[in-house]
Amino acid sequence: MKTFIQQNKIFLTLYSLFLIVGGFILFHFEKGDAILYLNTLHTPFFDEVFKRISQLAEAPAMLFILLVAVFSSYGKGLLLGLNTMFIFFFVEVFKHLVFASQMRPAAMFEGKVHLNFVEGVHINYYNSFPSGHTAMA
């Protein structure tokens, strides 16, 4: 155990810091405060940047990654494809059956505050958890 900690000291330190800061944020702020704050920081440039980054977790980008993986190593590509299908299945089950009533910020703040929405991005109001983009990462 001591060897494991010594070999992973940087990772464990950063992960612990992440948990402490994340825990502080979760318990210190009301639900949605961070979203409202981040929404005030939008700029047209970063709206476009993050719209493009978000597209990296969508189907065409994932298919491209799968094709590259299959041509690099058939076994690893097949494993990546199976893993992707497995994750997709469970994310959809959790989104639509387990956490179907979880609201996205657009629904949570509708009629209460003005939110900036990026032009050309479809806004969903429910099925927010788990995040498909996070699952694909």
Side-chain angles (χ1 to χ4, degrees), residues 82-100:
L82 290 172
N83 183 54
T84 302
M85 289 182 353
F86 181 76
I87 289 171
F88 176 76
F89 172 76
F90 279 101
V91 165
E92 291 303 307
V93 165
F94 278 89
K95 267 184 191 261
H96 297 285
L97 298 178
V98 180
F99 299 105

Side-chain angles (χ1 to χ4, degrees), residues 58-78:
E58 293 177 0
M62 195 61 210
L63 286 173
F64 175 74
I65 292 168
L66 284 171
L67 285 173
V68 169
V70 166
F71 285 114
S72 297
S73 167
Y74 183 75
K76 289 180 182 176
L78 184 62

Side-chain angles (χ1 to χ4, degrees), residues 23-114:
F24 173 78
I25 289 170
L26 282 174
F27 292 110
H28 184 69
F29 295 102
E30 292 289 320
K31 184 177 182 176
D33 283 353
I35 292 167
L36 291 175
Y37 172 71
L38 291 172
N39 194 260
T40 65
L41 301 177
H42 77 91
T43 65
F45 173 75
F46 283 114
D47 284 352
E48 193 64 30
V49 167
F50 286 108
K51 181 168 105 174
R52 300 291 176 215
I53 289 173
S54 205
Q55 291 173 339
L56 293 175
E58 293 177 0
M62 195 61 210
L63 286 173
F64 175 74
I65 292 168
L66 284 171
L67 285 173
V68 169
V70 166
F71 285 114
S72 297
S73 167
Y74 183 75
K76 289 180 182 176
L78 184 62
L79 189 60
L80 180 63
L82 290 172
N83 183 54
T84 302
M85 289 182 353
F86 181 76
I87 289 171
F88 176 76
F89 172 76
F90 279 101
V91 165
E92 291 303 307
V93 165
F94 278 89
K95 267 184 191 261
H96 297 285
L97 298 178
V98 180
F99 299 105
S101 64
Q102 289 292 313
M103 292 186 294
R104 290 179 178 251
M108 206 164 80
F109 296 117
E110 189 172 40
K112 297 176 187 169
V113 295
H114 172 73

